[in-house]
Amino acid sequence: EGEESLLLWISHRTTTPISSMKVALSALSLLFATAATSIAATTPRLPNLAANTVNRASRSIAFVNRPANSSRRQHQHMMSSSNSNISTPEQKQTLLSCPSISLRDGTPHPSIGFGTYKVGFIPASASSAVAASSASSSSSEPQRTAEECVRDALEVGYRFLECAEFYGNEAEVGKAIQGSGVGREELFICSKVWTTTIEKGEDAIRARLDKTLADLGTDYVDLYLVHWPVPNHHVDAYKTLEKLQSEGKIRNVGVSNYAVEDCQELLDTGCSPPAVNQIEINPFLYRKQTIEYFQGQGVVLQSYRSLRDGKAMDHPTLVEMGKAHHKSPAQILGRWCVQHGFVYMPKSVKMERMVENGEVFDFELSGEEMAELDGLTTPETLTAFEGLYRKCVNRDTTKDGTMDGVKMDITIG
């Protein structure tokens, strides 16, 4: 029981497969058994040491051969019984009382929220590499539903939920909300309309919003975004959202993945400025010129991939700053985001990581540290962003895979 509990506890906090840790434990046990036998042979006062250690080694070897699903069931039991003790009242209160950022109409927007992309569900057109990675890891780590993850996020204190049609899990998010005991007035809910619906026009957008509201169990969303600036369609989609706002189904209208030129196209047609633009922002993709343009327009910036999908946690700069502040690299990234005035939207399926990600309001980075982090963006990263933008504005539409209507000269910095 001891070996299994220890390994399950460790596996919940690392990416090391349980099977690998079992083999390592078995090898160590045999090593200790050999040493104990040698010591006992020359030390009469320790007659039982060898026998006890060999017995323990045998148990460890047997543990290696136990079925994987046995460990998985035990892991799930441990998770359900221990999650309630992960977040302290003080940590929860920090999230409940987090600072807010005022939208154009004065609506307070929480400065931190829980992202639900790839939580319990991976969209069909998501990155094939990520999907394959997730599929391969499913054999060694139990998968959790979006309902379970969102329920945990609400339990630890998150009150802003970032959702989308594309994410494919809004019904699960709605179940979590309904079962949480958290009142609708306490929540800030954002959703986004996907490219396929945008291309189909007003009737499809209206039907999709009704579906989103039904799935989430609410009669309005605090914020609704155009997910991508689909060429020849996004302006009309935005105007439809403005109509829905006047009908009370949407409190604020915004956009996502918009370049400066996309926003200018909206404004040139007489649309009101968006309340929000949700774009990727982190020290490794810090598009200062674009950010300054939107902030100059009074547009609040939501940051997705704030933690860069966990791919930079061993970066020396983050590690050293983390040591200096007694914080994790993830918390350094989150603090950078908050300190710049962006809405920070971390995501995790693990409750203790949800808590960790939220602990960004009790320290401050120096001006020198902020400048150093600002400087991590490279020309290569900006070029990669430009390619992704061109690929994604027509994603999943009838023009998918073409450059039909795509703006080829946008502000990338």
Side-chain angles (χ1 to χ4, degrees):
E1 294 300 326
E3 290 92 341
E4 181 166 7
S5 296
L6 175 62
L7 292 187
L8 290 168
W9 185 89
I10 294 172
S11 71
H12 182 54
R13 289 156 176 80
T14 70
T15 58
T16 305
I18 288 178
S19 57
S20 298
M21 288 189 287
K22 286 179 178 179
V23 172
L25 176 62
S26 178
L28 285 171
S29 295
L30 289 173
L31 178 62
F32 288 140
T34 302
T37 300
S38 176
I39 293 170
T42 59
T43 311
R45 288 176 296 177
L46 299 176
N48 296 322
L49 175 61
N52 289 340
T53 307
V54 171
N55 179 54
R56 193 165 185 81
S58 299
R59 288 169 52 200
S60 296
I61 295 169
F63 175 57
V64 170
N65 296 316
R66 289 187 65 177
N69 60 355
S70 172
S71 296
R72 193 168 303 163
R73 286 193 298 270
Q74 178 70 7
H75 182 285
Q76 291 168 330
H77 172 72
M78 290 175 63
M79 283 295 295
S80 63
S81 63
S82 63
N83 273 355
S84 60
N85 298 320
I86 289 176
S87 176
T88 66
E90 293 77 13
Q91 289 169 322
K92 183 172 184 177
Q93 187 57 41
T94 295
L95 284 171
L96 290 175
S97 60
C98 73
S100 63
I101 302 171
S102 293
L103 299 183
R104 190 179 303 280
D105 67 347
T107 298
H109 187 314
S111 59
I112 185 171
F114 183 71
T116 62
Y117 181 43
K118 293 182 182 174
V119 172
F121 179 81
I122 298 180
S125 65
S127 165
S128 58
V130 173
S133 174
S134 176
S136 65
S137 68
S138 64
S139 61
S140 59
E141 183 176 343
Q143 298 302 298
R144 308 188 68 214
T145 67
E147 180 181 359
E148 291 170 330
C149 296
V150 173
R151 182 187 63 217
D152 285 350
L154 293 171
E155 173 61 27
V156 303
Y158 288 88
R159 291 297 180 264
F160 162 37
L161 300 177
E162 189 268 331
C163 311
E165 170 189 355
F166 179 63
Y167 299 173
N169 56 10
E170 289 186 328
E172 289 282 306
V173 173
K175 291 177 184 177
I177 293 172
Q178 299 309 309
S180 69
V182 177
R184 176 63 183 89
E185 69 282 357
E186 298 179 52
L187 298 174
F188 188 97
I189 301 177
C190 169
S191 186
K192 305 193 287 285
V193 60
W194 186 238
T195 57
T196 49
T197 304
I198 291 169
E199 185 181 36
K200 292 174 183 175
E202 181 171 344
D203 290 345
I205 294 171
R206 286 180 171 275
R208 178 60 235 182
L209 176 59
D210 286 342
K211 179 70 163 59
T212 285
L213 296 177
D215 285 347
L216 294 173
T218 183
D219 55 4
Y220 72 95
V221 288
D222 298 276
L223 182 63
Y224 203 49
L225 312 180
V226 175
H227 204 143
W228 280 95
V230 180
N232 304 315
H233 298 285
H234 75 97
V235 173
D236 288 340
Y238 189 89
K239 290 179 178 178
T240 297
L241 267 54
E242 290 182 312
K243 293 179 186 177
L244 291 165
Q245 181 182 24
S246 68
E247 295 168 16
K249 293 183 176 181
I250 300 171
R251 296 289 171 87
N252 276 280
V253 175
V255 297
S256 180
N257 297 299
Y258 270 50
V260 169
E261 291 73 18
D262 296 315
C263 186
Q264 290 174 337
E265 183 181 1
L266 275 185
L267 300 180
D268 288 346
T269 61
C271 292
S272 59
V276 161
N277 186 14
Q278 182 185 118
I279 59 176
E280 178 180 348
I281 310 176
N282 54 62
F284 303 91
L285 187 61
Y286 181 47
R287 299 163 54 215
K288 190 172 182 180
Q289 186 177 351
T290 294
I291 288 166
E292 288 178 348
Y293 168 82
F294 281 103
Q295 290 179 330
Q297 294 288 331
V299 178
V300 171
L301 292 166
Q302 291 180 340
S303 162
Y304 73 78
R305 292 194 80 220
S306 309
L307 302 181
R308 209 164 175 257
D309 295 342
K311 296 176 181 176
M313 298 307 167
D314 59 351
H315 191 282
T317 299
L318 299 179
V319 172
E320 288 305 311
M321 287 187 188
K323 290 178 180 177
H325 291 278
H326 304 288
K327 291 289 183 176
S328 69
Q331 290 166 333
I332 297 298
L333 287 173
R335 180 63 205 178
W336 177 88
C337 192
V338 167
Q339 207 161 311
H340 263 305
F342 311 136
V343 178
Y344 169 45
M345 302 188 303
K347 179 206 78 174
S348 179
V349 298
K350 296 182 177 181
M351 196 175 188
E352 73 274 17
R353 296 273 175 81
M354 298 176 194
V355 175
E356 175 190 331
N357 291 339
E359 294 185 308
V360 296
F361 301 105
D362 58 350
F363 74 106
E364 187 170 333
L365 298 171
S366 69
E368 292 77 11
E369 288 171 325
M370 290 292 288
E372 185 176 359
L373 291 169
D374 291 352
L376 294 179
T377 299
T378 65
E380 292 76 18
T381 303
L382 294 174
T383 299
F385 157 76
E386 184 177 36
L388 184 66
Y389 169 90
R390 292 176 179 176
K391 175 183 176 181
C392 287
V393 291
N394 277 326
R395 183 177 175 183
D396 287 349
T397 70
T398 58
K399 306 297 184 182
D400 195 354
T402 75
M403 293 293 109
D404 192 351
V406 177
K407 296 179 178 69
M408 301 303 287
D409 186 19
I410 63 166
T411 304
I412 64 171

